[in-house]
Amino acid sequence: MAIKVLIVEDNPVARSFLCRVVRESFSDAIIITEAGDLENARRQIGPIDPEHVEPTADTFKLILVDLELPDGNGMELLTELVRYPATKIVTTLYSDDDHLFPALQCGADGYLLKEDRFEVLVEELQKIVRGQPPLSPAIARRLLSHFRQGPGGMGALAGLGEPALATGAGFQSSRPLPLGRGAPLDHERLTPRESEVLTYLSKGFTIKEIANLMGIKWFTVNDHIKSIYKKLNVSSRAEAAVLASKHGLV
Amino acid sequence: MDTSPRPHGASADTSSTRRRRAPSPDSLLDSRLIEQTLGRVEHLARWMGWRLRLLVVAALAGCLAVLLFSRWMASTPELAAEWRSNAVGQLILASTTDPALRPHVGRALVSLGRPGRHPVTVDELAIAPSARWIIDDIDRARQQHQHGQIDTLLNQPSVRLTFANGAVVDAEPHPRGLASLGALYWLLMGLALVVYLVGMVVVLASPSIRTLLYTVMCSAQAGNLVFIAAESTIVLGLPGQLSQFELPMRVVFDLLTCGAIVHAAALHPRKVPGYRVIAACAWVAMAVLGVAALAGHVPEGWWWLQATVALMGIATVALLVWSYRLLRHPFAIVMRRFGLMAVSTWILLTCAVALASADRVPSAQLQVAEIGPVIWYVFLASLLLLMPFLSKSQQVMREFSLLAAISTVATSLDLLFVAVFSFGQFASVTLALFLSLGLYAGTRQWILNRVLSRNMLTTERMFEKLYRIAREVEAHPDRTSTLLVQLLQELFEPLEAVVVEKRSPTVRVVSDGSTLMLPVPALTDKQASAPTSIVLRFANRGQRLFTSDDARLTDRIVEQLCRAVAFDRAVEQGRSEERLRIAQDLHDDIGARLLTLMYKAQSPEMEDYVRHTLQDLKTLTRGLAAPNHPLSHAEGEWKADLTQRLTAAQVQLGWNLTFDRDVSLTVVQWSGLTRVLRELVSNAIAHAGATFVDIEFHLADDRLDLSVTDNGNGSNPRAWAHGLGLGGVRKRVKQLGGEVEWREVTPRGIRCQVVIPRLSERP
C-alpha cells in the first residue's frame, strides 16, 4: 500500500526538491500530493472530523508544511491538523527559535531547514519519522524556559487569527507569558533527566556527547527528547483546548 | 532688628512643629520626616475645626477694630488748616480753607486758647507726630503736654489763635471726616491688618510656642503700624488721648518684639543649649527696661531704648549664627541676613535721627524722625510677612522684599545725609531715589544669588546631563534613583540626599524649606519595585532654603527625564522595527531567491557557495532582528552549528569556551564572531583537509582570546593570497578592535589567533 505524502510549498523548485528528498528517504511506494498554498492543502486533506480521526488508507501519513505561504502561515494548517494522525514536519528557511518554537507548539513533529544539503535533509527526515526530532540549542533554551515558567507560550496562538501578523510577529521575541496558574500538571513538567538533556542541548552538545556526559546510551537521550516533544505537544494542545473553550470555539 | 524665626505658613504641618520640638541631636533623616509630610489630610480636617472658627472671629475683630478706629479718627475735630515748622522751630500756617484764617497764611502761630482761658503756647512740637522718636526728654514731655492741651481745646466749639504779629483769630474746629484721613493712613492700616491676620493664621494653623512668638511680633508690629497710620494724619496735635498712649504703647510694642525675636531665635530652627535661660534673660531685661522707662526713671530713655533694640537684634543674629553651627539649617542663614539688614538699618536710622537732633536743625530732625521710622517699621512688617512664605515665596515676593530692604537702607543713608549736610527737601528725595535705584540695580543680582536664589547649573549642562541620564536609565533602569540623585545633587548641592522606600505623591518642599521630597518616577514598565522617594535636605550646603520654585523646577526636570527616556525608547523601538522590516524583507525575498538558485545550482561548488551566502544572509538578518545576544546563548549555537558542519565533513571538533562574565554581545560582535568562526572552520575543512579542529575561546577581563587550530596540510600562511574568506576575517576582527594572526604549528597545521583586547570598547 502506497504511503500518501502531502507537501505544502509555494516555490515549485523547492517543492520538487522536497519531493526528491521524500522519495529518497523511504523505500515504500509513495504517492506525493503537492499543494502551493493553504487553500489547496485544505482541499487535498478534505474535511477533518475531530471525533473520527482513525488513520485510513486515504489519510496522509506525512505532511510537509512550509511556514511562509502566499495565503497564510503554515502554522494555521498545523493547528487545524492537531488531531490529524500524520507526521507533520515544518520545512522552512527560518532556523531561529522564534519561528520554530511556535510551530512545534502547534503540533509539528519536527522541522527541516530547506537550505540544508540533500543528504542532510534525507537523514533528518528519516530521523523525524523514526521519532528523533532535531532540537537546536535555541529551541532547547526555549523549551527549558517554557516548562520552567509553566506552559503559556502564546506565540503560536497569538498568530493564529491574524495570518498577516504571524510572520511579522515571528521575528519579535514572543516570550512565554506565565498565566499565573497554580502547580503545573504532570504533562507540563519535565523530569530532572529531561531538564538535564535540554540544558546540554542548549549549550550546543550533540546527542552523543550528552550520552557520554550523562553516562547513558544515546537512544536514551533520544527517548528523552521524544518525551519532551510529546510533552510540549500535549501541553500546547491542552492549552489550546483551554483557550478554545474559553473563546467558545469548542 | 527683626529676625523672627517663624516660617510656618497656614499650610505648615503641625506634626513637623511637634517633631522639631524634641531636640534631634543629628540632622540625619528619620522616618518621621516622611510621616509628617503624609499627615496633611488629617491636618486639614483639624484645621477645619475650632481653629478656623477662631480665625474667622479674629479676622472679624481685626476688621471691626480698624473700622471703629477709623470712624473715631474721622470724628475728631480739627482746624481746616495745614501747618509747617520753620527754621527756628515756630509753627507756620501753610495753607487753609477757613476764610477767617486765610489772611494769616505764612504767619507763625504763637498760642492757642479760648476766650477767658490762659492760652497754650505752641511750637513745632505740636506737629511732631511721635513722642517715641523725640530724643530729648524735655522735648518729649513738652510734646505730650502740647498734644493733650491742643486736643482739649479743639473739642471746644471755638478756638482762639494768636499769631506772632499779634493778630488773634477765632476759628471753629470741625470733624475731619473719613476722606481727609489720606491714602497713607489707609495703606498703613491695611498693612497692619494683614500683619495681624498673618500672625493669627500662623498661630492657629499650628499652635506652639514658636508660632505664638511670631504672633506676638506680628501683633506688636501691627500696633506700631496703627500708631504710625494715625500719626500720618496729624494736623495739629494727635487726636484724643492718643498722644498720652503713644509713647508707652510703642515702647511696649518694640520691647515685646525684641523679646519675642530673641526667644524665637533661641528656639528655631534649632533649640540652642540653655534656650530657656536666654529667653528668660531677654524677657526680664525687656520687662525691667519697659517698667523703668514707662515710670520715667530712665534719663535719656530714647537712647536706652534704641541701644536695647540694637543689642537685642545683634543678640538674635548671634543666636542664629550659633544655631547654624549646630544644625546647618538654611533658614538660620536667611534669617541671619534679614536680621543683619534690619539691625544695620536700625542703627543707621538711630544715628540719622540723633545727628539731625544734635545739629539743632528742628525741621531736619522732624523730617528725619517722621519719615525714617515709618519706612523702617514698614520694612520690618514686610519681613515679618515674608517669613512664613519663605519656602513658598515666588519671584515677585522676593523682589518685593529686596526692593523694600534696599530702599530702606537707601532712605536711612539719605536721611543721614540730610541730617549731616542739611540738604533741602527736593535734594533729599532725589538723592534717595537715585541711591535706592542704584543700589537696587547694582546689588539685586548679587543679593538674589546670595540670599535666596540659586547657584544654578547652566541650562546647557543640565540638559546635557539630563539626556545622558536618560540614556543611562534606558540601559540600567534600576539605577534611576541613583542617577536622579546625582543630577539633583549637582543642581541643589544639598547636604544630604537620601533615597527612601516611601511613596510620595508629588514633588514638594517640607520642613520649612529645609527639605525637598520627590517621588522617583517609574521610568520603565518592568520596574515593579516598591515606590521610592528622594529626599534632599539643606540646599546649597545648608545655605539656602528650598522654595516652591525649586519644587517646580524639580518637577520639570523629572518630567523632562521621563520624556527623554520615552523618546529614546520610541527612537529605539522605531529603529528596531525598521531593522526588523529590513531583515524580514531580506530574508523573505533574497532568501527565497537564493534558495531557488541553490536548488538549481549546476555544480556542488556553486551549491555550497550559494548555501554559504544564504547562511550569511540568515546570520545577518538574525543579527538585525535581535539587538543583543548573551554569550552563553551564542556559545550553544556556535557549537551546534560548527559541530554539524564538521561532522558532515567528518572532522573532529575540540571545543573549549570560557568566560568570566556572560556578556551581552551586540549585533556587530555577535555577527562578527559568528562569521569569523564559520569562515575559519570552513577554511580548515575546505582547504587544509584537516581531521581535527580545535577551538579555544576565552573571555576574561574584557579580553577575548580566540584560536582555531587545525591539523591540516596548510603551511606558510604569510604567502597566502588573502581571498574573500580570510580578508573577511581580517575585516571583521578589525571591526571588533582586535588583531588576527596565522601561524604554523608543529607537527602540522595552522593556528589562527584572534585577540580583542577590549571587547566592550566598540559597540
Side-chain angles (χ1 to χ4, degrees):
Chain A
M1 192 180 69
I3 294 175
K4 284 187 76 183
V5 176
L6 175 66
I7 296 177
V8 190
E9 163 70 60
D10 60 325
N11 185 337
V13 182
R15 206 156 57 214
S16 65
F17 179 76
L18 287 172
C19 286
R20 271 172 55 215
V21 170
V22 171
R23 288 189 198 287
E24 178 72 24
S25 301
F26 308 104
S27 49
D28 310 66
I30 284 173
I31 305 167
I32 293 180
T33 313
E34 296 179 25
D37 50 31
L38 285 178
E39 200 192 331
N40 222 329
R42 285 192 188 109
R43 206 180 310 131
Q44 296 291 348
I45 294 166
I48 304 163
D49 182 3
E51 300 302 315
H52 185 75
V53 279
E54 289 300 308
T56 61
D58 207 28
T59 51
F60 291 104
K61 289 280 184 320
L62 178 66
I63 302 177
L64 302 186
V65 185
D66 187 14
L67 282 185
E68 310 83 41
L69 291 163
D71 58 346
N73 195 295
M75 278 194 281
E76 290 173 55
L77 191 65
L78 285 175
T79 322
E80 291 160 25
L81 299 179
V82 154
R83 283 164 184 273
Y84 196 83
T87 304
K88 285 154 282 184
I89 296 172
V90 169
T91 58
T92 179
L93 201 52
Y94 294 108
S95 54
D96 57 300
D97 55 316
D98 281 337
H99 278 88
L100 290 177
F101 191 77
L104 298 186
Q105 274 188 308
C106 283
D109 297 289
Y111 59 88
L112 293 175
L113 297 180
K114 283 192 277 188
E115 89 261 22
D116 272 342
R117 239 181 274 267
F118 182 78
E119 312 86 69
V120 176
L121 282 173
V122 168
E123 195 183 329
E124 290 287 321
L125 180 57
Q126 285 172 343
K127 275 189 188 171
I128 295 170
V129 172
R130 259 181 299 175
Q132 295 168 25
L135 212 47
S136 76
I139 291 182
R141 217 162 42 228
R142 275 295 277 276
L143 279 166
L144 271 177
S145 69
H146 173 82
F147 283 106
R148 202 173 288 145
Q149 301 191 8
M154 301 288 286
L157 296 157
L160 291 183
E162 300 133 304
L165 274 179
T167 44
F171 266 114
Q172 284 158 6
S173 62
S174 43
R175 286 198 192 83
L177 302 164
L179 286 181
R181 295 193 208 148
L185 304 171
D186 263 353
H187 66 259
E188 294 168 348
R189 225 184 275 145
L190 295 179
T191 65
R193 281 273 151 167
E194 286 163 356
S195 302
E196 206 179 342
V197 168
L198 272 184
T199 312
Y200 280 128
L201 279 172
S202 73
K203 288 186 177 159
F205 287 98
T206 61
I207 292 174
K208 217 155 103 193
E209 283 170 322
I210 295 170
N212 277 339
L213 284 163
M214 290 174 67
I216 51 179
K217 294 271 188 293
W218 79 265
F219 56 79
T220 317
V221 177
N222 226 352
D223 283 347
H224 286 310
I225 295 175
K226 257 191 281 184
S227 160
I228 293 164
Y229 251 85
K230 209 184 267 164
K231 280 185 181 178
L232 174 70
N233 275 340
V234 172
S235 76
S236 310
R237 261 176 235 174
E239 193 179 287
V242 167
L243 274 168
S245 66
K246 255 188 206 163
H247 294 165
L249 296 176
V250 178
Chain B
M1 106 91 137
D2 75 300
T3 309
S4 80
R6 246 334 337 130
H8 279 283
S11 58
D13 299 50
T14 320
S15 44
S16 79
T17 316
R18 297 221 174 105
R19 188 183 71 81
R20 256 180 287 98
R21 216 182 289 162
S24 52
D26 58 0
S27 67
L28 276 180
L29 193 80
D30 51 316
S31 61
R32 278 175 297 175
L33 172 73
I34 324 280
E35 278 152 22
Q36 79 185 11
T37 65
L38 303 172
R40 206 158 280 254
V41 178
E42 179 200 1
H43 163 75
L44 262 179
R46 266 183 286 151
W47 175 226
M48 296 307 289
W50 58 273
R51 287 191 244 165
L52 185 61
R53 266 172 252 152
L54 207 61
L55 180 65
V56 171
V57 170
L60 283 177
C63 293
L64 203 65
V66 167
L67 279 180
L68 288 177
F69 184 73
S70 304
R71 233 180 87 88
W72 174 75
M73 284 289 291
S75 70
T76 53
E78 200 57 83
L79 290 173
E82 278 181 37
W83 308 87
R84 60 176 170 85
S85 60
N86 68 0
V88 291
Q90 285 175 315
L91 206 54
I92 311 291
L93 180 60
S95 68
T96 179
T97 52
D98 191 336
L101 285 172
R102 200 161 291 147
H104 305 285
V105 169
R107 289 190 185 146
L109 183 69
V110 177
S111 68
L112 279 177
R114 64 187 164 106
R117 277 286 194 96
H118 185 71
V120 183
T121 318
V122 291
D123 57 17
E124 58 166 1
L125 289 175
I127 58 165
S130 174
R132 169 76 178 77
W133 287 90
I134 293 170
I135 299 172
D136 192 53
D137 288 346
I138 301 158
D139 278 354
R140 197 181 313 125
R142 273 179 53 223
Q143 190 255 14
Q144 284 176 292
H145 179 73
Q146 270 185 33
H147 280 234
Q149 296 280 331
I150 291 168
D151 179 58
T152 320
L153 284 171
L154 287 176
N155 274 315
Q156 306 302 321
S158 147
V159 187
R160 176 163 293 168
L161 296 93
T162 313
F163 286 94
N165 61 354
V168 174
V169 182
D170 282 333
E172 281 176 25
H174 298 286
R176 58 177 102 189
L178 280 173
S180 68
L181 290 177
L184 187 58
Y185 170 85
W186 291 111
L187 276 177
L188 287 167
M189 286 306 268
L191 184 60
L193 191 62
V194 169
V195 171
Y196 161 77
L197 282 179
V198 167
M200 292 312 285
V201 165
V202 165
V203 76
L204 288 176
S206 62
S208 74
I209 300 277
R210 292 154 213 254
T211 46
L212 190 66
L213 289 171
Y214 177 73
T215 309
V216 167
M217 289 175 228
C218 281
S219 306
Q221 289 315 308
N224 264 333
L225 288 172
V226 168
F227 274 108
I228 292 170
E231 285 155 12
S232 74
T233 67
I234 199 160
V235 176
L236 206 58
L238 277 171
Q241 294 304 306
L242 273 187
S243 57
Q244 311 309 312
F245 291 132
E246 197 257 351
L247 177 66
M249 292 293 277
R250 287 191 66 174
V251 169
V252 167
F253 287 152
D254 285 348
L255 293 179
L256 268 180
T257 312
C258 284
I261 282 172
V262 174
H263 191 170
L267 286 179
H268 192 87
R270 188 199 192 284
K271 279 178 184 161
V272 296
Y275 64 94
R276 283 175 216 276
V277 180
I278 293 169
C281 285
W283 284 115
V284 167
M286 294 304 105
V288 167
L289 184 71
V291 170
L294 294 183
H297 294 318
V298 187
E300 300 289 327
W302 187 80
W303 287 104
W304 280 99
L305 207 56
Q306 295 300 98
T308 308
V309 172
L311 270 179
M312 286 292 139
I314 291 164
T316 306
V317 172
L319 273 174
L320 286 168
V321 171
W322 188 17
S323 161
Y324 184 69
R325 293 240 172 99
L326 295 174
L327 171 68
R328 294 169 73 85
H329 198 300
F331 189 80
I333 289 211
V334 177
M335 285 301 101
R336 199 178 69 200
R337 294 198 176 120
F338 279 0
L340 274 175
M341 243 190 297
V343 173
S344 53
T345 47
W346 176 265
I347 292 170
L348 269 175
L349 179 69
T350 306
C351 291
V353 173
L355 276 173
S357 100
D359 271 6
R360 291 280 154 210
V361 187
S363 62
Q365 186 197 350
L366 266 183
Q367 198 187 345
V368 171
E370 220 171 290
I371 301 168
V374 174
I375 289 175
W376 192 84
Y377 280 108
V378 169
F379 169 56
L380 180 57
S382 57
L383 282 187
L384 273 179
L385 277 183
L386 192 62
M387 246 171 260
F389 308 105
L390 268 181
S391 62
K392 299 167 181 69
S393 75
Q394 312 209 337
Q395 200 67 21
V396 181
M397 194 79 166
R398 276 187 235 160
E399 295 277 339
F400 165 74
S401 68
L402 276 177
L403 201 59
I406 288 169
S407 52
T408 310
V409 174
T411 316
S412 305
L413 274 175
D414 173 55
L415 291 176
L416 200 62
F417 292 152
V418 172
V420 176
F421 305 116
S422 308
F423 285 154
Q425 185 95 17
F426 180 74
S428 77
V429 168
T430 317
L431 202 63
L433 206 67
F434 270 103
L435 261 175
S436 58
L437 280 180
L439 255 176
Y440 177 71
T443 57
R444 185 182 157 273
Q445 203 51 49
W446 181 80
I447 288 178
L448 270 179
N449 284 339
R450 295 302 311 260
V451 181
L452 277 164
S453 193
R454 62 184 56 89
N455 194 3
M456 252 246 291
L457 283 172
T458 62
T459 325
E460 234 171 287
R461 271 195 56 208
M462 208 170 72
F463 270 111
E464 197 182 297
K465 272 210 77 118
L466 204 64
Y467 287 112
R468 211 173 51 232
I469 284 183
R471 239 160 284 135
E472 276 194 64
V473 165
E474 182 70 27
H476 317 273
D478 46 315
R479 290 190 61 210
T480 308
S481 47
T482 325
L483 293 166
L484 199 56
V485 164
Q486 271 176 21
L487 178 72
L488 292 173
Q489 260 174 338
E490 271 196 35
L491 187 60
F492 294 121
E493 298 180 82
L495 277 184
E496 292 171 22
V498 199
V499 179
V500 292
E501 290 221 345
K502 205 94 183 197
R503 180 190 297 281
S504 56
T506 50
V507 178
R508 63 178 186 277
V509 177
V510 287
S511 294
D512 318 335
S514 69
T515 306
L516 184 78
M517 271 188 81
L518 65 144
V520 177
L523 291 176
T524 44
D525 351 309
K526 290 177 229 160
Q527 213 175 23
S529 55
T532 49
S533 303
I534 295 174
V535 177
L536 303 177
R537 298 192 76 195
F538 308 129
N540 207 357
R541 294 193 212 87
Q543 307 265 321
R544 193 169 72 76
L545 287 174
F546 283 111
T547 64
S548 50
D549 289 350
D550 293 333
R552 254 197 307 278
L553 178 71
T554 312
D555 212 14
R556 285 278 170 77
I557 288 173
V558 172
E559 194 189 315
Q560 284 299 327
L561 184 62
C562 290
R563 249 186 238 169
V565 170
F567 181 73
D568 276 8
R569 203 177 297 145
V571 167
E572 187 49 45
Q573 198 187 342
R575 275 167 57 185
S576 80
E577 273 170 15
E578 186 63 19
R579 276 203 308 260
L580 263 181
R581 201 181 57 73
I582 295 172
Q584 194 92 48
D585 287 355
L586 273 177
H587 193 282
D588 290 358
D589 301 350
I590 312 294
R593 277 171 207 211
L594 280 174
L595 198 64
T596 312
L597 202 62
M598 190 178 84
Y599 292 147
K600 286 184 169 172
Q602 303 298 318
S603 63
E605 288 79 29
M606 185 61 83
E607 189 188 321
D608 265 353
Y609 189 85
V610 178
R611 180 169 293 121
H612 286 165
T613 313
L614 191 57
Q615 276 165 352
D616 279 350
L617 175 74
K618 280 171 68 177
T619 309
L620 180 81
T621 52
R622 265 204 75 191
L624 281 173
N628 45 40
H629 306 251
L631 180 55
S632 57
H633 292 187
E635 174 198 0
E637 275 149 47
W638 289 337
K639 181 163 187 286
D641 182 45
L642 297 180
T643 308
Q644 200 200 7
R645 277 159 184 266
L646 289 169
T647 314
Q650 287 168 348
V651 179
Q652 244 195 312
L653 171 69
W655 179 262
N656 186 9
L657 187 145
T658 59
F659 49 85
D660 57 349
R661 208 157 56 83
D662 189 6
V663 292
S664 181
L665 299 173
T666 63
V667 176
V668 176
Q669 289 166 342
W670 178 80
S671 71
L673 289 171
T674 305
R675 294 170 76 169
V676 165
L677 276 170
R678 197 180 286 162
E679 198 57 54
L680 289 175
V681 168
S682 296
N683 244 27
I685 298 169
H687 304 299
T691 57
F692 180 76
V693 173
D694 186 50
I695 296 178
E696 298 273 335
F697 186 111
H698 303 287
L699 180 69
D701 291 334
D702 210 24
R703 177 190 162 96
L704 174 68
D705 282 294
L706 167 68
S707 70
V708 178
T709 315
D710 66 53
N711 62 349
N713 49 20
S715 63
N716 196 12
R718 278 167 220 282
W720 289 351
H722 287 294
L724 200 61
L726 294 190
V729 170
R730 263 178 204 285
K731 198 180 95 187
R732 293 191 188 282
V733 172
K734 202 174 168 199
Q735 210 173 28
L736 297 173
E739 297 282 333
V740 61
E741 192 186 16
W742 283 268
R743 241 186 261 158
E744 277 179 55
V745 287
T746 50
R748 60 199 290 256
I750 296 288
R751 170 178 295 158
C752 172
Q753 191 100 33
V754 175
V755 178
I756 301 170
R758 286 174 199 285
L759 187 65
S760 63
E761 206 169 64
R762 302 207 187 172

